[in-house]
Amino acid sequence: MSTVYIVYWSGTGNTEAMAQAVAAGVTEGGAEAVVWNVSEADIEAVAGAKAIALGCPSMGAEQLEESEMEPFMTDLDGKISGKTVGLFGSYGWGAGEWMEDWVNRVNADGATALNGEGIICNGAPDADTLENLKALGRDLAANA
Ligand SMILES: Cc1cc2nc3c(=O)[nH]c(=O)nc-3n(C[C@H](O)[C@H](O)[C@H](O)COP(=O)(O)O)c2cc1C
């Protein structure tokens, strides 16, 4: 069975809830879902997969979380060419700029950001967002 790795950072649980919904979609789609907090992620395993999902809220000033997620992403930048990548994350008060930057970054790495945009939500994911995240997971399973 193919595996989709879902790696996230979450301070207060909103992005973690999003990650679990992506995982449910991956399972529905017939692939194995491995969900890792970024602090425990095996970057070589992630680099070896065809389809991955990455989640992080907007932190700093419209940035990835700087102590764990940004260093992980910097490591990954040279390793994701050709992959299908699903991006997701929660935000508070901004307009989603961090996610636009992240989508552009992933595409510049030679990967394909699924749907051409990330799935974002203000605070905790609502029912519609959870459905969209499951659909993302099913799409990732189809590309794994
Ligand atoms: C230090 C810090 C910086 C933040 N910076 C932003 C920001 O630039 N833009 C924004 O929309 N939200 C910002 N937020 C709000 C978080 O993105 C929001 O609370 C989000 O729901 C947290 O997701 P989590 O529960 O997965 O940690 C910030 C929150 C913190 C704690």
Side-chain angles (χ1 to χ4, degrees):
M1 187 187 283
S2 14
T3 301
V4 176
Y5 295 95
I6 302 158
V7 179
Y8 71 92
W9 184 94
S10 184
T12 55
N14 296 327
T15 305
E16 182 175 12
M18 297 175 83
Q20 296 299 344
V22 176
V26 168
T27 306
E28 283 172 13
E32 179 191 19
V34 173
V35 185
W36 276 327
N37 185 300
V38 65
S39 63
E40 61 179 359
D42 175 348
I43 194 158
E44 294 309 327
V46 175
K50 284 171 68 182
I52 62 176
L54 303 171
C56 185
S58 181
M59 296 293 285
E62 297 297 323
Q63 288 154 328
L64 297 178
E65 186 278 329
E66 66 179 0
S67 69
E68 292 178 318
M69 197 70 200
E70 175 56 43
F72 180 81
M73 191 63 213
T74 299
D75 272 1
L76 210 54
D77 276 326
K79 298 178 176 164
I80 57 171
S81 181
K83 295 189 194 312
T84 302
V85 182
L87 296 177
F88 59 93
S90 173
Y91 67 96
W93 50 82
E97 190 187 330
W98 104 102
M99 185 57 77
E100 287 174 25
D101 291 346
W102 204 6
V103 167
N104 291 336
R105 179 175 179 172
V106 160
N107 287 330
D109 287 339
T112 301
L114 205 52
N115 304 322
E117 59 183 9
I119 296 180
I120 66 175
C121 64
N122 188 275
D126 63 14
D128 283 351
T129 302
L130 291 172
E131 282 310 313
N132 291 338
L133 290 160
K134 282 190 201 171
L136 182 84
R138 290 193 295 270
D139 287 349
L140 288 167
N143 282 281

